[in-house]
Amino acid sequence: MRGSDFAELKAFVAVVERQSFARAAEHLGLSPSALSQTIRQLEGRIGARLLNRTTRSVAPSASGEQLYMRIAPLFREISNAVADVSEATGQVSGTLRINTLGIAARTIIAPRLARFHQVHPDVILDIVVDDSLTDIVAGRFDAGIRVGGKLEKDMVAVRLTPDLNMVAVASPDYLRRFGTPKSPAELHQHQCINWRLQMDGRNHRWEFNNQGQRLEVAVEGPVVTNNADIGIAAALSGLGIAYHFERDGVSELLALGRLIQVLPDWSISRPGLYLYYPSRQHRPALLGAFIDCLLDRKPFDQLQTLAI
């Protein structure tokens, strides 16, 4: 295989995996126009359209999908081989693709980015924030971060946090105007900030538990969102009662008195956040370095994992 052939195939794999010419070009260190020319050369040499492009998206054609499925494992094996050699020499490099919940991105990853880059300057972190239950294998991610009860099956999982407490909160102004609910059933008389589930578009039913009495409540209100920052901002503005993870910036607002917890006896906890990945068979050094950083611990070979 000529060097140009390898470069063209590598560019094709990058576009498919990042679903964007711009992101793939940035990853490869090329201009988007140069990358487009490389793909056209590959399509011309093969004699088939490999990518279907629109102004907003790019996806492999049937021929492109067939080619990707054949060559992507080879490129991953090459990358793994390079990672193994780098690990043996003490160097960690490459690109790590992570699919993560917003709460993990804000509270675990973001505060550690600078330190990770300082220690591992040759690693590129490709982080996608996604609160839906994306299939990380189909999405070609190296790992994902989710609440423990929502993990995909047959994964290796590493616990990142203790269990997460859920809290219903409202602003002092809202409670002065509308009163404080004494039970989950009274939420039907209040304005609530709804959370929309991305996987099916439905609004999330709020779950409560008081000494074994479990309830689910479908709430209504002036705001529906899939973003925690918007939900918390709506509650701060006095638009209604919100239901969020206490860890996700809410505890600080409670301590400052900007939000007040309601229905404390009914709050529930969720399994903590876990990083998970598809297989024990090959665990790249750069993924190990990332987990070490998230856990503020080392070395990686001492890490205790949990098969889900």
Side-chain angles (χ1 to χ4, degrees):
M1 178 185 292
R2 299 175 302 172
S4 58
D5 296 343
F6 181 85
E8 290 171 358
L9 292 171
K10 181 179 180 181
F12 167 71
V13 170
V15 173
V16 173
E17 293 188 341
R18 286 157 182 80
Q19 301 177 348
S20 163
F21 270 85
R23 289 193 293 269
E26 182 178 5
H27 167 71
L28 295 169
L30 301 173
S31 68
S33 59
L35 178 57
S36 294
Q37 178 62 27
T38 298
I39 297 299
R40 284 195 294 270
Q41 290 173 351
L42 175 63
E43 290 177 327
R45 181 164 60 84
I46 292 178
R49 175 176 288 278
L50 301 175
L51 296 170
N52 295 320
R53 310 166 179 84
T54 70
T55 56
R56 293 188 175 184
S57 66
V58 58
S61 64
S63 298
E65 184 68 22
Q66 182 180 14
L67 177 62
Y68 175 82
M69 296 303 293
R70 291 288 300 275
I71 67 174
L74 303 178
F75 275 91
R76 282 194 289 270
E77 186 59 31
I78 292 172
S79 178
N80 290 339
V82 173
D84 286 342
V85 173
S86 296
E87 183 177 4
T89 60
Q91 300 296 318
V92 178
S93 62
T95 297
L96 188 67
R97 300 193 71 227
I98 303 293
N99 186 286
T100 178
L101 292 174
I103 181 176
R106 288 185 293 271
T107 65
I108 301 177
I109 297 176
R112 294 170 173 82
L113 282 176
R115 177 157 55 88
F116 183 84
H117 178 70
Q118 183 178 13
V119 178
H120 304 292
D122 296 325
V123 175
I124 298 173
L125 292 178
D126 186 348
I127 299 169
V128 175
V129 179
D130 177 9
D131 286 324
S132 62
L133 298 178
T134 296
D135 183 337
I136 63 169
V137 175
R140 292 131 189 171
F141 291 96
D142 295 297
I145 301 178
R146 290 289 177 270
V147 174
K150 299 295 185 181
L151 297 184
E152 300 172 16
K153 300 299 182 182
D154 302 320
M155 293 286 165
V156 176
V158 179
R159 190 180 184 106
L160 300 178
T161 72
D163 287 354
L164 302 171
N165 294 324
M166 299 285 296
V167 289
V169 296
S171 70
D173 175 64
Y174 176 88
L175 297 178
R176 279 193 299 268
R177 289 184 291 128
F178 298 101
T180 301
K182 303 302 181 183
S183 71
E186 293 183 17
L187 290 173
H188 293 299
Q189 304 167 21
H190 285 265
Q191 301 293 317
C192 296
I193 313 303
N194 252 312
W195 183 266
R196 174 164 291 152
L197 301 176
Q198 291 188 1
M199 58 281 239
D200 57 16
R202 294 183 297 109
N203 291 343
H204 176 65
R205 294 174 65 90
W206 294 8
E207 299 176 50
F208 298 95
N209 189 352
N210 185 355
Q211 299 180 351
Q213 182 183 1
R214 300 187 63 86
L215 294 176
E216 289 189 4
V217 181
V219 299
E220 296 182 355
V223 177
V224 180
T225 182
N226 62 2
N227 181 275
D229 293 336
I230 296 297
I232 294 170
L236 286 169
S237 300
L239 298 181
I241 300 172
Y243 200 33
H244 286 278
F245 289 118
E246 184 177 16
R247 180 189 177 103
D248 200 9
V250 176
S251 58
E252 293 86 348
L253 295 170
L254 290 170
L256 293 170
R258 299 183 62 192
L259 290 175
I260 296 176
Q261 184 177 0
V262 301
L263 303 174
D265 294 337
W266 288 88
S267 291
I268 64 171
S269 64
R270 294 290 192 189
L273 294 170
Y274 286 76
L275 181 143
Y276 64 102
Y277 54 96
S279 172
R280 288 185 185 272
Q281 295 177 358
H282 186 89
R283 192 166 55 193
L286 58 88
L287 178 57
F290 184 66
I291 295 173
D292 283 343
C293 184
L294 297 187
L295 290 173
D296 299 318
R297 64 180 291 182
K298 60 182 181 180
F300 182 58
D301 57 12
Q302 296 177 2
L303 188 64
Q304 296 299 313
T305 60
L306 172 66
I308 297 299

